[in-house]
Amino acid sequence: MIAKDREYALTHELNHNHSENTHGHVHDEESLRRIINRLSRIEGHIRGIKTMVQESRPCPDVLVQIAAVRGALDKVARIILDEHLSECIGRAAEQGNIEVEIEELKAALDQFLR
């Protein structure tokens, strides 16, 4: 029950923060819930890796788990990017501020792809 309450609070916090954004980044509750669920699983996986290191588990096993977390994070990033392209960029085009939105996306991608 606590996990569900935490997930609900995080989803509403993200929506609240998005609604205060000057570019109107508001995402539907279902999409945010899916992303939060994925991030919660990744968080648990990272805790598992930490335990593996504390228990001096074999390095190759730890590296395989780190690779799994990387893959999971990449999947979340892809979901967010897909949604941004389909929802936020489209909304910006309708509102006439597409150039600003594209420049912000380029800057974010520069950081992401480093």
Side-chain angles (χ1 to χ4, degrees):
M1 183 65 175
I2 293 172
K4 286 289 182 189
D5 291 341
R6 183 171 172 233
E7 173 189 320
Y8 179 82
L10 286 171
T11 300
H12 286 283
E13 179 182 335
L14 283 172
N15 253 343
H16 177 72
N17 289 343
H18 283 303
S19 65
E20 290 178 355
N21 189 310
T22 58
H23 301 296
H25 283 83
V26 179
H27 301 276
D28 68 64
E29 295 279 330
E30 179 63 20
S31 175
L32 288 175
R33 186 189 62 74
R34 283 192 307 267
I35 292 169
I36 295 297
N37 282 342
R38 283 180 179 271
L39 291 171
S40 293
R41 285 193 299 273
I42 292 167
E43 182 180 32
H45 205 145
I46 290 171
R47 281 193 304 271
I49 294 169
K50 181 179 176 184
T51 299
M52 290 176 74
V53 171
Q54 290 170 330
E55 294 173 352
S56 297
R57 298 276 295 275
C59 295
D61 294 349
V62 174
L63 291 172
V64 167
Q65 295 306 312
I66 290 171
V69 168
R70 278 181 166 167
L73 281 171
D74 286 345
K75 178 66 176 171
V76 170
R78 176 61 190 246
I79 291 167
I80 291 170
L81 178 59
D82 285 348
E83 184 171 308
H84 185 71
L85 291 172
S86 63
E87 299 294 326
C88 302
I89 297 291
R91 190 169 31 251
E94 290 173 2
Q95 296 171 352
N97 61 345
I98 186 89
E99 294 83 14
V100 171
E101 198 69 40
I102 288 174
E103 287 305 313
E104 288 179 358
L105 179 57
K106 285 180 183 178
L109 287 172
D110 283 345
Q111 292 292 315
F112 181 75
L113 295 173
R114 283 188 179 178

